[in-house]
């Protein structure tokens, strides 16, 4: 018997706006596990074909919104194991989109800490829109400053107010979020020290 080799695949996330086509050139999969002597051009001679399907099994069509899993069309001579299945987040941006605002509610002192992160920043956001807004980590959704910290900002901003916590060492920690306000992007920041 001959066992089929398994490709290990990791795919990045994307954010697009409603009505846009998915630009597959922005998808950069990391693929390992080729048998000796083969590479991506041997296994995918026509290029990689991607599938975009949500958790309910519905395939993405232009004009839809929501979250879609990114997978690849499996080659006939390999199995595929996803070490990271990418996602396409589709923002609605319909009508009068208003920017998501950020706030620092308070800073807590931790009762005990073994990692030097003695404080907890309690951040809050307010999404005044009726639909979820998606912003990936990067230039439009980032933490900066001199602080050492543990935790991440959300990438899914549900309608209304929601909170999250970041452990940090007490030095300056700035959360900057850029979202659409009508048709223009607008940034807001909240600082914890």
């Amino acid at each position: 018997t001959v066992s089929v080799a398994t490709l290990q695949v990791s795919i990045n996330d994307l954010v697009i706006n409603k009505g846009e086509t998915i630009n597959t050139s922005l998808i950069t999969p990391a693929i390992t596990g080729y048998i000796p002597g083969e590479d991506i051009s041997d296994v995918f001679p026509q290029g990689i074909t991607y599938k975009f399907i949500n958790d309910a099994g519905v395939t993405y069509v232009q004009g839809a919104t929501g979250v879609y899993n990114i997978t690849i069309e499996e080659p006939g001579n390999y199995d595929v194991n996803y070490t990271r299945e990418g996602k396409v987040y589709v923002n609605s941006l319909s009508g009068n989109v208003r920017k998501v605002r950020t706030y620092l509610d308070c800073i807590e002192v931790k009762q005990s800490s073994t990692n030097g992160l003695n404080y907890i920043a309690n951040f809050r956001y307010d999404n005044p829109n009726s639909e979820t807004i998606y912003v990936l980590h990067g230039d439009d959704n980032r933490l900066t400053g001199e602080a050492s910290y543990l935790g991440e900002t959300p990438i899914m901003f549900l309608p209304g107010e929601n909170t999250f916590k970041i452990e940090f060492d007490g030095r300056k920690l700035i959360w900057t979020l850029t979202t659409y306000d009508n048709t223009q992007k607008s940034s807001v920041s909240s600082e914890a020290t």
Side-chain angles (χ1 to χ4, degrees):
T1 61
V2 177
S3 298
V4 176
T6 301
L7 296 177
Q8 304 297 323
V9 178
S10 175
I11 302 177
N12 60 299
D13 295 335
L14 295 176
V15 171
I16 64 171
N17 296 325
K18 181 179 179 179
E20 293 180 357
T21 56
I22 299 171
N23 182 351
T24 56
S25 69
L26 299 176
I27 302 173
T28 54
I31 302 175
T32 59
Y34 298 108
I35 62 171
E38 288 193 343
D39 60 21
I40 192 167
S41 62
D42 298 309
V43 177
F44 302 98
Q46 306 300 317
I48 297 174
T49 301
Y50 295 98
K51 298 186 287 185
F52 309 100
I53 301 171
N54 69 15
D55 289 342
V58 177
T59 300
Y60 173 77
V61 293
Q62 192 171 346
T65 60
V67 181
Y68 294 82
N69 302 307
I70 305 172
T71 58
I72 64 173
E73 192 72 46
E74 294 191 13
N77 53 346
Y78 284 89
D79 285 334
V80 174
N81 179 52
Y82 292 95
T83 55
R84 184 179 191 289
E85 193 174 88
K87 298 199 180 295
V88 175
Y89 298 93
V90 186
N91 282 319
S92 170
L93 298 185
S94 59
N96 260 346
V97 175
R98 295 176 52 209
K99 70 180 172 185
V100 177
R101 297 188 177 276
T102 67
Y103 304 93
L104 173 69
D105 284 341
C106 67
I107 297 174
E108 298 174 49
V109 177
K110 288 173 59 177
Q111 297 303 316
S112 63
S113 174
T114 58
N115 59 7
L117 306 177
N118 299 320
Y119 303 94
I120 299 173
N122 289 277
F123 287 105
R124 174 173 49 99
Y125 69 81
D126 179 16
N127 177 1
N129 303 292
S130 60
E131 296 191 30
T132 300
I133 302 292
Y134 305 100
V135 185
L136 296 181
H137 296 127
D139 289 343
D140 288 344
N141 183 7
R142 68 187 185 280
L143 291 169
T144 57
E146 302 89 31
S148 294
Y149 62 89
L150 180 63
E152 289 186 329
T153 62
I155 61 171
M156 184 180 301
F157 298 90
L158 302 171
E161 292 188 356
N162 289 281
T163 61
F164 67 97
K165 298 173 183 282
I166 300 287
E167 295 181 28
F168 74 118
D169 62 5
R171 294 181 292 166
K172 185 189 295 186
L173 179 65
I174 303 167
W175 175 30
T176 303
L177 180 67
T178 304
T179 56
Y180 278 94
D181 196 11
N182 288 317
T183 59
Q184 300 294 321
K185 282 190 169 184
S186 177
S187 295
V188 291
S189 296
S190 295
E191 180 181 321
T193 53

